[in-house]
Amino acid sequence: MNSFIAHIRESDKQIQSVEEHLLGVRDLAESYGEKIGVKHLTGLAGILHDLGKYTNEFRNYIIEAVNNPDSPPKRGSVDHSTAGGKLLYELYHEKNIIQYKALTAEIVGNAIISHHSYLKDFLNPKLESIYLQRVCDKKLDEFEKTKEHFFTYVLNEKDFIDYVDTAATELKNFIMKDPTGSNEKKIMFLTKFIFSALIDADRTNTRLFEEKNIDDSPRNREKLFNTYYKRLLTKIQSFQNHPDANSPINLLRSEMSDQCDSFAEKQSGIYTLSIPTGGGKTLASLRYALKHANLHKKKHIIYVVPYTTIIEQNAKEVKKILKDDSNILEHHSNVIEDTNDDDENKEGCMNVQQKLKLAKDNWDSPIIFTTMVQFLNVFYAKGSRNIRRLHNLSESVIIFDEVQKVPISCVSLFNNALNFLKDYGRASILLCTATQPALDFVEQKLEINTDSEIIDNLDQMIHAFKRVEIVDLATDQTFNNKDLKVFIGEKIEEIQSVLVILNTKTVVRDLFTQLEKIDSDVKVYHLSTSMCAAHRNKILEQVRHTLKEGIKTICISTQLIEAGVDISFGCVIRSMVGLDSIAQAAGRCNRHGEMGIQRVYVIDHEEENLIHLKEIRVGKQVSKQIFIDLKHNERNHGGDLLSRPALKRYFKEYYTQFKSDLNYFIPKLKKDMTELLASSRNESSYRQAYYHKNGKKDVELFIVNSYQTAAEHFRVIDDLSTSVIVPFEDGKDIIAELNGNQSIQDLSHLLRKAQQYTVNLFNFEKEQLTKNDGLVSYLDGKILALKEGAYNDEYGLDLNNESGFGNVII
């Protein structure tokens, strides 16, 4: 009888044997890998990942951990993740080396030794190979017995060798699929995919065992998407009964929606949907996605948006039309901080951290709404929670809403990820925006399909949707908030509603304070990322209500209101910024063309401190030059600030200004992240330095890249620290429930609900809140929340922790 233990269930002390766990994880990992033709590579990682549990040492450790939960064994006392990687290295990398088998040992072995933390460096900045230190140098006392148990209980040696041979063939086929592409780039993404499949399979199998749930089969996606498609068409057909159904704009919306439906029949690829602002791109893109998913057997539809504000609005609209809440996931932020975890020696006791780790958070929902930050984190950020989701991006329709908002430093990383998903992940990708960025202009370009634009006669469509005139008040003068207050006062007398969009939270809040008591007949609102998503959504609903009631309304906001927020003002004032943002701001003015042609005023705000906001600063400079060009000759750039020629010129100039920043430069290492991840052996500066340091002895590896180092230095937004839950409305109840006694299922639900009640803190904000006693931690410090005084019902985050009862600022 095999008496080696993988897990002991908390509720009834039932044992899951190592054999059961390894075979169960293999089966799940194979199903994930099959999506891109690498089932044996992912399966190999699954069947070997916990090989080190076939030891008396681990059996004694886990029994002691369960019997003495308050005094568990010393951390670091047992290593059970090295053995699987060591076995592959011993069999395929020590002698008689065959390239693809040795590569298999490196790729799969790295995933195995890393499955309690993050992928290791093959060669790091200190010229050390963490991978080799584990699989080659580290001694395991019971290793020979471990191998004997594996070949006896799990897979005999002949079948194992055959399995590895098949995996190596898969690897060769994967690399040779595109002989002209960079092998290092393919290997990097494949390694991340295998690691993702292993992490998800391991955690899913463990969760199912812990919850006594043996049936976790996926829903029938084809049937579900077909039902959704029919419901969407019913909704679209109902628009014909609207009194304004035959208005010019609504007829154009209908035509573009029909074009999306037809285009869905094309093969998967990277396409553009350049519907003008206000053209109904959410429903049009959903129509494409549902039909394409049905025709081409996709498993997920994923919306990626720049701001959390858009998630609530779009998800709410989609849920209402599709008549389903349970299968549509809104993923705003991680809530849990786990990027520095190494939980190898925390097995046995189902503590808070283990429950958080196993909580279902893997993007397996049919429809997902998430942010650009979360999407990029999946590929490049440290921590197993992020990368666990990667394999579910394959066989998906992925819609990037307002794709021009890709951060400059991440452009090459973004393009490479999308190219991988298209070429290897069987994904279909839609780039949605009225202002398409020139992502195929940069060095590491996006491989957009030929004839990629879905909308026919696009220039005519743009002209037909023209609802605003851009008024240049920026090239000859500057404004401060005092001037702006006077100007807004004049405009609100002329027009019922004014939206003001400024570039920094500080000037937004200051202007709101000055305008708050402008007139008892005028409603003044404030929006910024200092508020949680639920708070912003509530404010937006109030704004929509006052606009509908015809009450004079002023809204002061940061740029979060620009992208995808369905709201319409009679006048917009926009602080000078990139041309794409000006176009998006214009989309909040006279949105439905109900007021003829209205004005969008562009100003130069002298009080905005843009010293640390380089992208806004450069965008402002490039836009200003185009404004000046048009002032000199009104026929320049297509004769319109928002024309396609003007936007094309803007993005090319903008990306040229940032040419040295597109590959995610890491100042501390004086290297681009793209070099750390995918430089060839011949071009690797670390390999060359290793060679000279070690007396011209080469590192005996095919892969020399630095995955862990790259991840440690990656931040989509510079210095972004963490998400914290805020005590706003239901957020108070969520915080109260964070006692750690919930089941894994309850924790999964609570964390999902918490996402709408979080704000992101920069490091300096976190430090100030800590100093002012405004933070409290829960669940062993894995989750942070604001105290009552650190959140204000008008402004949101209060770093001074002085909001007090009733949220009155003292």
Side-chain angles (χ1 to χ4, degrees), residues 510-752:
D510 178 62
L511 181 60
F512 172 73
T513 305
Q514 292 190 37
L515 287 169
E516 210 171 355
K517 298 180 176 64
I518 187 172
D519 189 322
S520 59
D521 295 330
V522 180
K523 287 281 188 181
V524 185
Y525 297 96
H526 165 269
L527 283 168
S528 87
T529 50
S530 291
M531 300 168 171
C532 69
H535 191 174
R536 295 196 301 265
N537 204 38
K538 182 178 180 179
I539 298 293
L540 282 167
E541 284 303 312
Q542 292 173 355
V543 173
R544 290 188 182 101
H545 175 74
T546 56
L547 290 171
K548 187 178 179 181
E549 293 297 313
I551 300 167
K552 286 190 175 184
T553 306
I554 299 171
C555 182
I556 318 296
S557 178
T558 58
Q559 64 179 350
L560 68 88
I561 200 170
E562 285 176 352
V565 178
D566 187 6
I567 200 162
S568 182
F569 290 82
C571 167
V572 170
I573 301 167
R574 183 55 168 105
S575 182
M576 177 65 93
V577 70
L579 214 56
D580 57 324
S581 287
I582 292 171
Q584 295 300 322
R588 305 320 117 195
C589 183
N590 192 25
R591 191 166 174 81
H592 305 291
E594 65 273 25
M595 295 178 278
I597 300 293
Q598 294 298 311
R599 291 185 164 188
V600 174
Y601 299 92
V602 179
I603 64 164
D604 188 354
H605 200 299
E606 64 189 40
E607 294 174 326
E608 290 177 341
N609 182 1
L610 305 180
I611 193 95
H612 298 299
L613 299 170
K614 185 180 177 183
E615 292 183 28
I616 293 176
R617 195 171 70 248
V618 172
K620 178 178 176 178
Q621 292 166 358
V622 176
S623 294
K624 203 162 190 175
Q625 187 55 54
I626 293 175
F627 271 71
I628 292 168
D629 289 349
L630 272 166
K631 208 160 196 174
H632 288 161
N633 184 346
E634 62 183 21
R635 287 179 294 182
N636 280 334
H637 311 303
D640 187 345
L641 274 164
L642 303 185
S643 69
R644 283 210 289 169
L647 285 161
K648 189 172 184 179
R649 158 70 193 279
Y650 167 78
F651 277 114
K652 285 192 174 182
E653 180 64 28
Y654 184 65
Y655 288 144
T656 300
Q657 294 268 351
F658 281 102
K659 188 175 181 180
S660 61
D661 299 321
L662 299 175
N663 297 334
Y664 202 96
F665 182 69
I666 302 170
K668 186 176 179 180
L669 301 177
K670 297 180 181 176
K671 287 188 182 298
D672 290 336
M673 189 166 161
T674 51
E675 181 185 346
L676 292 176
L677 290 172
S679 61
S680 68
R681 284 188 97 253
N682 292 336
E683 294 172 349
S684 169
S685 59
Y686 290 161
R687 180 207 166 206
Q688 293 164 12
Y690 179 97
Y691 179 78
H692 292 294
K693 179 185 176 184
N694 290 279
K696 297 189 177 181
K697 179 186 177 185
D698 207 348
V699 59
E700 295 179 350
L701 289 170
F702 286 94
I703 309 171
V704 292
N705 301 108
S706 313
Y707 300 151
Q708 184 168 6
T709 297
E712 284 171 345
H713 287 90
F714 181 70
R715 301 286 187 279
V716 180
I717 303 170
D718 288 343
D719 299 323
L720 188 63
S721 175
T722 190
S723 295
V724 296
I725 304 174
V726 304
F728 176 78
E729 297 187 344
D730 288 354
K732 296 176 184 178
D733 297 330
I734 292 168
I735 292 169
E737 289 182 50
L738 291 173
N739 53 37
N741 294 324
Q742 294 91 347
S743 67
I744 298 169
Q745 188 174 5
D746 289 341
L747 264 176
S748 298
H749 175 74
L750 191 64
L751 294 175
R752 182 177 292 193

Side-chain angles (χ1 to χ4, degrees), residues 770-793:
T770 302
K771 180 181 174 182
N772 294 329
D773 194 29
L775 282 176
V776 60
S777 66
Y778 294 91
L779 305 185
D780 295 344
K782 292 296 170 187
I783 294 178
L784 292 175
L786 295 183
K787 291 187 176 179
E788 290 270 354
Y791 197 81
N792 182 283
D793 277 351

Side-chain angles (χ1 to χ4, degrees), residues 180-197:
T180 63
S182 159
N183 286 349
E184 288 75 21
K185 202 177 287 183
K186 297 173 199 170
I187 287 169
M188 179 267 293
F189 281 118
L190 177 61
T191 303
K192 286 175 180 271
F193 184 95
I194 292 168
F195 188 53
S196 170

Side-chain angles (χ1 to χ4, degrees), residues 17-30:
S17 71
V18 176
E19 176 188 355
E20 290 169 337
H21 182 55
L22 293 181
L23 292 173
V25 172
R26 178 200 64 183
D27 291 346
L28 277 172
E30 281 186 348

Side-chain angles (χ1 to χ4, degrees), residues 483-534:
D483 303 327
L484 198 48
K485 179 183 176 182
V486 174
F487 185 59
I488 293 166
E490 293 170 358
K491 290 296 140 194
I492 201 65
E493 290 303 313
E494 297 174 18
I495 298 173
Q496 285 289 102
S497 56
V498 177
L499 170 63
V500 185
I501 307 174
L502 306 177
N503 290 321
T504 67
K505 291 188 286 187
T506 305
V507 291
V508 165
R509 181 166 172 170
D510 178 62
L511 181 60
F512 172 73
T513 305
Q514 292 190 37
L515 287 169
E516 210 171 355
K517 298 180 176 64
I518 187 172
D519 189 322
S520 59
D521 295 330
V522 180
K523 287 281 188 181
V524 185
Y525 297 96
H526 165 269
L527 283 168
S528 87
T529 50
S530 291
M531 300 168 171
C532 69

